[in-house]
Amino acid sequence: MALIQNKEKLSDSVWRFRLFAPRIARKRAAGQFIILRPVENSERIPLTIADADANEGWIEIIFQAVGKTTMQLLQLNEGDSVLDLAGPLGKPTHIEKFGEVLCIGGGVGVAPLYPIISALSDAGNEVTSIIGARNRDLLILENEVSEKSKRTLVATDDGSAGTKGFVSDVFNQLISNGEQFDAAFVIGPVIMMKVTASLTVKAGIKTFVSLNPIMIDGTGMCGGCRVTVGDKIRFACVEGPEFDAAQIDWDEMVNRLGSYRKFEEKSREEHDCRLEGAK
Amino acid sequence: MSKAETKKKFESRITMREQDPKIRAANFQEVPHGYSEQEAVQEAKRCLQCKKPLCVQGCPVNVKIPEFIDLIAKGDFAAAARKLKETNALPAICGRVCPQEEQCESRCILQKKGVPIAVGNLERFAADWERDHNAVKLPGKKPPNGKKVAIAGSGPAGLTCAGELIKEGFEVTIFEALHEAGGVLVYGIPEFRLPKEIVRQEIEYLKNLGVKIEKNFIIGKTATIEELLSEEGFDAVFIGSGAGLPSFMKIKGENSIGVYSANEYLTRSNLMKAYSDTPSTPVMKGKSVVTIGGGNVAMDSARTALRLGADESRIVYRRSESEMPARKAEVHHAREECIIFELLCNPTEIFSDEKGAVKGIRCIRMELGEPDATGRRRPVPIKGSEFTIDCDVVVIAIGNNPNPLIPESTPDLEVSKWGTIVADEADGRTSKKYVYAGGDIVTGAATVILAMGAGKTAAQSMIKDLLSS
C-alpha cells in the first residue's frame, strides 16, 4: 500500500501522483522505475520514477490515462492508497561527465527524461533539452526541464508552442548549425525513439534510449520484456530499461508493443461505456 | 494373512477419482478429486509398516510416512495431518505436486511385488481433511529466542525455512517481490493441478504461527542482503529467490508476437487470472498452440492452452517420452486430455505474418544418438526431415537461468559460472556469513520438494549457527 499524497493534472490526460514510499525514495536513482497495481485484480504496470525525495519519503510518477489500468489509477484520489507498489526496478542510468549532452523527450516520455536531465546536470554536463508533444496542452514539465538544462527547445506538431514540427526536426536544425554533442538520451513513444535515435546515431552521437516494453513481473522472471539488442535477447526489466540505441531491433520492439492492441481497445471501449452509464 | 489377502495388499492400490478428461480439459478445476475417508483408510491399510522404512529416506524432508499412514488406517485423520506437519509445513501442496514416484514411493517395499503405497494421495487426504474439518491446530512454539531472520522469496524453499524457524522461536520475515505470496506455487503451477486456495490457506497457517510476510519487496533492489543484516537488524538471511530469466532457443522468429516463455504464459494465466471472463491482464488464446519442452512446466503450459480454448495443443520435445523430465502422471493426464505429442522433434524457426504474429513453426525430426553428459541419449537431427506446424501461439518451456538481482547486489556472495549462488548442499551455507540459500537459485530449476528440502536444511544450519553464538 502506498498513500497518494498529491494528485495533480499536468496536461490533457497526463497526471502526476506523489506517493509515500520511503524505501523506494531512499534507494532510487535516475532511470529506475516501479511496478504498481492500483486496485485488486488490476494489471501490474511499470512506470518511471519521475522524481523523489529521500528525506520526505515520497516518489512521483507521471502517467497518461489511456488504458484500463491507468484509468483505474486515475480514479484514486489524494488520501487513497495504491494497492501494490514495488521498486525501484531496473538499472540506474549511466551518468558521467560526457560534456555536451542532448536530452530529447517526446510526450509523456519527458517524465522519465527529467530525472536523467537532472542527474546529468548535477554531474557537470552541459545539457541541451529538446522536448515535444502534439500540442501545447500535452506538453509537460517545461519549467522543470528548463531549470536543469542549459537551454530548452520546444517542438509541437501543431506549432501551438515552440517550433512547429517534431523533436527530430529541431535536432536536425542543431546539427545543420554545426553543433556537436558527446551523448544523447532519447525517451518517448517507440516510433519517436526509433526515428530520433536513428538520426542521432547517424550523426555519430552515442545514444541511449529507455525502453518501455510489455512487462509482467518486472523482476526478471517472465521474459515478456525481451528486446533484441545487438543480436542478443536482453530483458529490459533487469538489464535495462536503458540500452544503446544503435543496437536495438526497433521493428521487433514496435511489433511486440502492439501485441495486445485489440485487447486494449476493447477494454478502453468498455471503460468509456461504464463512464457513459454513470452520467 | 491369507495368500489372497497378501496378494490384494500388493496389487490393489486405490486409484484416485478424477474429473473426466473431456470435461476437465475445458475448466480450471482440480483434476483429481481426492480420496474419500473410506478409500483413504483402505489404501492406508496396505502399508506394511516396515521397521526400517525406506520411503522416509526417499523423502527430501523425511516425512514420518509409516506413522502418518498408520494414523489414517486407524481413522485418526487429524492426528495424521499433525504428524505430517511435524516435518512438512506444506503437506496439502506436497501431496499434490511432489514427484512421489521418484521419491518415497520408489523405495516402497510394495513396489517390488506390485504397486507402492500411494503416499502422495494419502498425504493430500490428511492435509485436506484437517483443513476441510476446521481441525487445523497450531503446534507449540518455543519461546522467542531474540533472533531475527529474513527470507528472500515466499516460494516452497522460503515457506519451509520460515515454518521450521518460527517453531524454534525465531522472529521470521519473508520478503516477496510479487503482490501475492507463494512464488511458483501461485504464478507457475496451474489451478487445475494446485488450487490457489490451498496455497493461500497453507500460507495463512504460517502467518498464524507468527511468520511475517512483506510483499512488493524486492531483495537486491528495495533493500540489499547487506542492508538487511547491517541496518535492518536481521541476524541471518535465507535466499530462496527461485527461478529467474527464462531460457530461449535462439532460433529465428523467437520474438514474434504470440511467442511466450512458459513463465510469462503461466503467470498471465495463473497469477493475473487471464483465464477469467474479464481479465485485466490479457493472454493470447491461441487456436493452435505449440509448447516446446518436456518437463512439468511444459505439460502445465500445454494443458493451460487447452483450457484457454485451443483447438489443438501440442508438445514438441526433442527426445523420446522415456527421457521426458515431466512426471509420468502429468504426461498421462496430458495424453488423456488429447494433447498431441511431437516427440523426437526440434524447432528450427518460427514463422510470422506481415504484422509479426506467429503463424507456424518449423521443426526437424530427431533420432537418439550416444548419451551426453547428463546420461540421456543425445538427440541428433535427421537430414531432410523438416516439416511445419501451423500455430498461432508458441510457449517455450525449456528452463530458466538464475535471477541476477541478488548476486549483482551482493558482491561478497560467491556465484557459479552459471550465475547460481554457491551454497553447500548439506547445510545451505553460502560464502557470506549468516547468509544461506537454497532452491532454484542454487540448483537451477528443480522440484517443489527439493526446494523445500533445501529450505529445511538451511533452517537447521541457522538454528545451529545462531543459537550457539
Side-chain angles (χ1 to χ4, degrees):
Chain A
M1 296 281 261
L3 181 74
I4 300 168
Q5 293 180 322
N6 196 22
K7 174 180 176 178
E8 184 189 352
K9 189 169 182 172
L10 289 189
S11 81
D12 196 17
S13 80
V14 179
W15 292 77
R16 172 157 59 194
F17 276 23
R18 180 173 287 188
L19 303 169
F20 186 64
R23 277 186 181 281
I24 302 176
R26 207 162 66 218
K27 296 292 283 193
R28 76 98 206 194
Q32 290 190 294
F33 63 95
I34 50 96
I35 284 231
L36 61 76
R37 276 202 330 156
V39 293
E40 193 63 59
N41 289 331
S42 62
E43 202 177 358
R44 294 168 61 92
I45 55 164
L47 290 168
T48 308
I49 303 167
D51 205 354
D53 187 312
N55 293 323
E56 294 180 13
W58 52 258
I59 62 164
E60 281 180 346
I61 50 168
I62 294 175
F63 64 95
Q64 198 163 8
V66 287
K68 183 174 173 181
T69 313
T70 43
M71 300 271 193
Q72 286 172 324
L73 184 56
L74 189 56
Q75 276 161 21
L76 299 176
N77 292 307
E78 280 173 21
D80 291 341
S81 287
V82 168
L83 181 63
D84 296 299
L85 177 71
L89 290 158
K91 288 200 188 298
T93 302
H94 170 71
I95 301 287
E96 61 169 278
K97 190 167 175 187
F98 295 98
E100 288 286 340
V101 182
L102 196 53
C103 290
I104 309 178
V108 80
V110 177
L113 189 65
Y114 169 64
I116 298 172
I117 294 172
S118 205
L120 285 166
S121 161
D122 292 347
N125 290 285
E126 299 286 337
V127 181
T128 296
S129 296
I130 308 174
I131 58 171
R134 283 209 308 278
N135 57 51
R136 173 178 284 284
D137 290 342
L138 286 167
L139 193 69
I140 58 166
L141 303 181
E142 190 183 348
N143 293 338
E144 286 92 336
V145 168
S146 300
E147 256 173 51
K148 290 286 183 179
S149 310
K150 187 181 71 177
R151 78 182 146 160
T152 302
L153 304 164
V154 173
T156 48
D157 297 8
D158 64 355
S160 53
T163 309
K164 183 174 175 178
F166 301 127
V167 286
S168 50
D169 299 329
V170 176
F171 169 75
N172 281 334
Q173 193 60 48
L174 294 182
I175 293 300
S176 61
N177 290 348
E179 293 201 29
Q180 287 180 347
F181 298 95
D182 302 301
F185 291 80
V186 180
I187 308 181
V190 66
I191 299 294
M192 170 269 181
M193 284 197 281
K194 178 186 167 179
V195 171
T196 311
S198 75
L199 296 174
T200 57
V201 168
K202 211 168 130 195
I205 307 168
K206 176 85 177 163
T207 305
F208 303 91
V209 286
S210 179
L211 302 182
N212 57 336
I214 291 171
M215 213 176 264
I216 304 294
D217 67 301
T219 62
M221 181 270 283
C222 89
C225 66
R226 63 192 189 274
V227 286
T228 302
V229 183
D231 292 331
K232 267 203 191 127
I233 288 184
R234 307 288 294 274
F235 299 89
C237 69
V238 293
E239 300 179 284
E242 275 171 24
F243 294 104
D244 177 358
Q247 299 192 48
I248 290 166
D249 182 337
W250 286 107
D251 293 336
E252 178 188 288
M253 169 86 199
V254 171
N255 270 343
R256 284 184 61 80
L257 267 175
S259 299
Y260 297 101
R261 193 157 289 138
K262 270 191 204 146
F263 178 88
E264 284 156 11
E265 278 164 14
K266 192 166 159 257
S267 65
R268 202 152 45 229
E269 274 164 28
E270 280 167 6
H271 182 89
D272 290 344
C273 286
R274 276 205 307 280
L275 287 183
E276 293 284 322
K279 271 178 195 166
Chain B
M1 211 186 293
S2 74
K3 229 179 176 175
E5 273 174 327
T6 312
K7 191 168 185 293
K8 196 177 163 200
K9 197 159 204 170
F10 285 138
E11 288 174 359
S12 57
R13 169 161 155 152
I14 305 290
T15 48
M16 205 179 254
R17 287 163 292 114
E18 293 179 343
Q19 267 200 80
D20 184 289
K22 279 198 196 80
I23 295 167
R24 73 181 191 233
N27 69 48
F28 275 87
Q29 284 148 33
E30 196 172 11
V31 170
H33 291 301
Y35 281 152
S36 66
E37 291 184 5
Q38 199 193 357
E39 287 167 332
V41 170
Q42 210 179 329
E43 176 64 19
K45 282 183 174 165
R46 289 177 64 229
C47 178
L48 299 174
Q49 293 292 322
C50 304
K51 284 226 170 62
K52 285 184 186 159
L54 297 174
C55 52
V56 180
Q57 297 168 22
C59 173
V61 294
N62 302 123
V63 165
K64 295 169 180 169
I65 296 169
E67 289 154 274
F68 100 80
I69 290 181
D70 188 45
L71 287 163
I72 294 179
K74 288 177 177 145
D76 193 348
F77 308 134
R82 271 156 225 160
K83 182 57 71 182
L84 274 163
K85 284 185 175 166
E86 285 177 19
T87 47
N88 180 355
L90 312 165
I93 293 169
C94 282
R96 287 170 165 84
V97 301
C98 273
Q100 289 98 7
E101 65 280 6
E102 291 168 18
Q103 295 169 339
C104 50
E105 293 182 12
S106 75
R107 312 281 187 98
C108 178
I109 298 296
L110 286 174
Q111 168 88 56
K112 290 186 179 146
K113 302 259 177 169
V115 274
I117 185 95
V119 180
N121 292 355
L122 289 170
E123 182 176 25
R124 170 186 161 159
F125 167 79
D128 286 358
W129 191 94
E130 186 194 34
R131 199 183 54 250
D132 295 343
H133 289 78
N134 293 321
V136 178
K137 239 167 108 182
L138 294 181
K141 248 169 71 171
K142 289 195 181 156
N145 60 31
K147 301 284 181 186
K148 271 175 77 178
V149 174
I151 293 177
S154 64
L159 292 175
T160 305
C161 187
E164 293 292 314
L165 294 172
I166 199 83
K167 285 191 280 188
E168 290 295 319
F170 289 81
E171 197 182 320
V172 183
T173 306
I174 301 181
F175 295 98
E176 167 55 47
L178 291 172
H179 58 266
E180 193 170 331
V184 71
L185 306 171
V186 295
Y187 75 73
I189 302 178
E191 190 82 8
F192 56 81
R193 204 149 71 83
L194 178 64
K196 301 299 153 265
E197 188 49 35
I198 298 215
V199 181
R200 239 166 259 138
Q201 294 198 25
E202 300 265 41
I203 289 169
E204 205 52 37
Y205 170 77
L206 288 178
K207 278 160 92 174
N208 289 336
L209 271 171
V211 173
K212 283 184 239 162
I213 300 184
E214 267 206 57
K215 292 181 281 190
N216 300 309
F217 195 113
I218 305 144
I219 304 290
K221 288 288 181 185
T222 314
T224 63
I225 300 276
E226 188 53 50
E227 284 164 346
L228 292 178
L229 291 168
S230 59
E231 292 168 27
E232 308 270 345
F234 288 99
D235 298 290
V237 183
F238 172 74
I239 305 168
S241 51
L245 317 176
S247 300
F248 290 91
M249 292 175 302
K250 303 183 180 75
I251 61 172
K252 210 173 153 204
E254 204 164 19
N255 291 342
S256 306
I257 298 176
V259 181
Y260 289 104
S261 75
N263 279 358
E264 181 183 0
Y265 190 66
L266 292 172
T267 301
R268 282 177 182 272
S269 181
N270 295 325
L271 182 71
M272 306 311 293
K273 305 183 179 73
Y275 61 80
S276 63
D277 293 336
T278 52
S280 293
T281 304
V283 68
M284 280 173 218
K285 299 177 178 179
K287 283 286 155 208
S288 170
V289 179
V290 168
T291 300
I292 299 156
N296 288 327
V297 178
M299 298 305 138
D300 286 346
S301 302
R303 296 171 70 196
T304 294
L306 215 56
R307 285 158 172 79
L308 289 173
D311 295 331
E312 284 182 336
S313 177
R314 281 184 175 76
I315 291 273
V316 167
Y317 178 57
R318 62 197 189 122
R319 292 181 158 98
S320 72
E321 183 160 340
S322 54
E323 287 88 22
M324 269 196 170
R327 291 184 68 189
K328 293 263 179 306
E330 301 311 331
V331 177
H332 172 72
H333 278 144
R335 281 201 185 276
E336 279 184 333
E337 290 166 12
C338 299
I339 302 284
I340 302 160
F341 283 74
E342 295 285 358
L343 301 170
L344 287 163
C345 174
N346 205 26
T348 55
E349 184 178 349
I350 295 167
F351 299 119
S352 56
D353 63 17
E354 67 284 355
K355 286 179 183 154
V358 173
K359 63 173 188 183
I361 186 165
R362 189 93 173 136
C363 297
I364 187 163
R365 299 278 176 207
M366 311 289 278
E367 58 192 349
L368 292 179
E370 295 301 306
D372 63 12
T374 65
R376 290 183 301 180
R377 291 176 65 192
R378 191 193 304 270
V380 186
I382 302 171
K383 266 193 192 135
S385 67
E386 288 92 347
F387 67 104
T388 301
I389 302 169
D390 292 335
C391 61
D392 47 3
V393 166
V394 172
V395 183
I396 300 175
I398 59 169
N400 302 286
N401 298 304
N403 192 304
L405 294 182
I406 291 177
E408 264 177 18
S409 60
T410 321
D412 49 348
L413 194 63
E414 197 192 332
V415 174
S416 77
K417 64 177 175 183
W418 299 281
T420 51
I421 293 174
V422 177
D424 192 322
E425 217 176 297
D427 57 31
R429 295 187 183 106
T430 69
S431 61
K432 190 170 166 70
K433 207 167 182 209
Y434 296 121
V435 176
Y436 307 75
D440 284 6
I441 188 67
V442 171
T443 56
T447 60
V448 167
I449 190 75
L450 287 176
M452 290 179 60
K456 192 164 177 162
T457 303
Q460 278 151 0
S461 300
M462 288 163 122
I463 293 165
K464 224 182 282 167
D465 297 354
L466 291 176
L467 297 186
S468 64
S469 60

